[in-house]
Amino acid sequence: MGARARTVACCHALEESVPAAVACFQELWPEANLVHFQDFALSRDRQSGKVSEDAICERIMALGRAAEESGAGATLFTCSAFGDAIDAVKRAYPRSLVLAPNECAFRESIASGRRSHIFVTFEPSLPLLLAEYRSLEGAGAEARGHLVEGALGALRAG
């Protein structure tokens, strides 16, 4: 496998996502070369509701553009609160592998046919993830969403 195929561009909107992504790759694919792009203000702006969806989408697109220009073999967005914008990146770079953090888990969950529970630490993600899950939903699959109150604050506090 060539260096390009082993290079993954990780696009982050939460500072806390960086060490989590690095730890997962070290455990599951230590040969991967990670390149990180971030806009940590995105999560605050999404949560505030004061920034337009178009502006949010353009910033996600800028992260995707930087990842594409890096020459990485794949791009992984590590924050699930930006599904529609990540989909726009996929459409802009159809020859590239661009992944949202929940994609594979949702497909496996739906294939199981059992009820799933979606837990989030970032509140704006919850309605977006439930809507995304329901748009993919197969017969008999259902999801319930849960906010783990205080978890993100506890993580930030150490």
Side-chain angles (χ1 to χ4, degrees):
M1 181 181 298
R4 182 182 190 287
R6 285 192 316 269
T7 301
V8 178
C10 297
C11 297
H12 309 285
L14 280 171
E15 292 176 58
E16 295 77 13
S17 298
V18 178
V22 169
C24 285
F25 274 98
Q26 285 176 343
E27 180 181 338
L28 301 171
W29 191 17
E31 304 82 18
N33 301 314
L34 303 181
V35 180
H36 300 277
F37 299 95
Q38 62 268 336
D39 179 345
F40 297 140
L42 269 166
S43 56
R44 290 186 296 275
D45 291 343
R46 166 69 80 193
Q47 194 162 29
S48 77
K50 294 178 182 177
V51 177
S52 74
E53 192 60 32
D54 287 345
I56 295 278
C57 190
E58 181 48 44
R59 289 164 59 193
I60 292 292
M61 189 63 73
L63 290 171
R65 199 169 24 258
E68 179 71 16
E69 290 171 0
S70 77
T75 300
L76 172 65
F77 283 87
T78 63
C79 186
S80 55
F82 305 98
D84 289 342
I86 295 169
D87 288 343
V89 173
K90 290 179 183 185
R91 287 189 300 277
Y93 302 106
R95 293 173 135 153
S96 297
L97 179 60
V98 178
L99 299 169
N102 46 285
E103 265 182 80
C104 294
F106 280 9
R107 286 195 175 88
E108 285 185 31
S109 170
I110 289 166
S112 79
R114 298 187 313 228
R115 178 186 310 148
S116 295
H117 293 268
I118 299 171
F119 292 87
V120 300
T121 59
F122 184 61
E123 188 171 11
S125 293
L126 191 55
L128 300 168
L129 289 173
L130 287 170
E132 181 180 342
Y133 189 93
R134 290 181 180 128
S135 76
L136 300 171
E137 207 170 297
E142 118 181 43
R144 292 195 179 149
H146 310 276
L147 172 64
V148 183
E149 300 229 17
L152 189 56
L155 180 63
R156 287 178 172 156

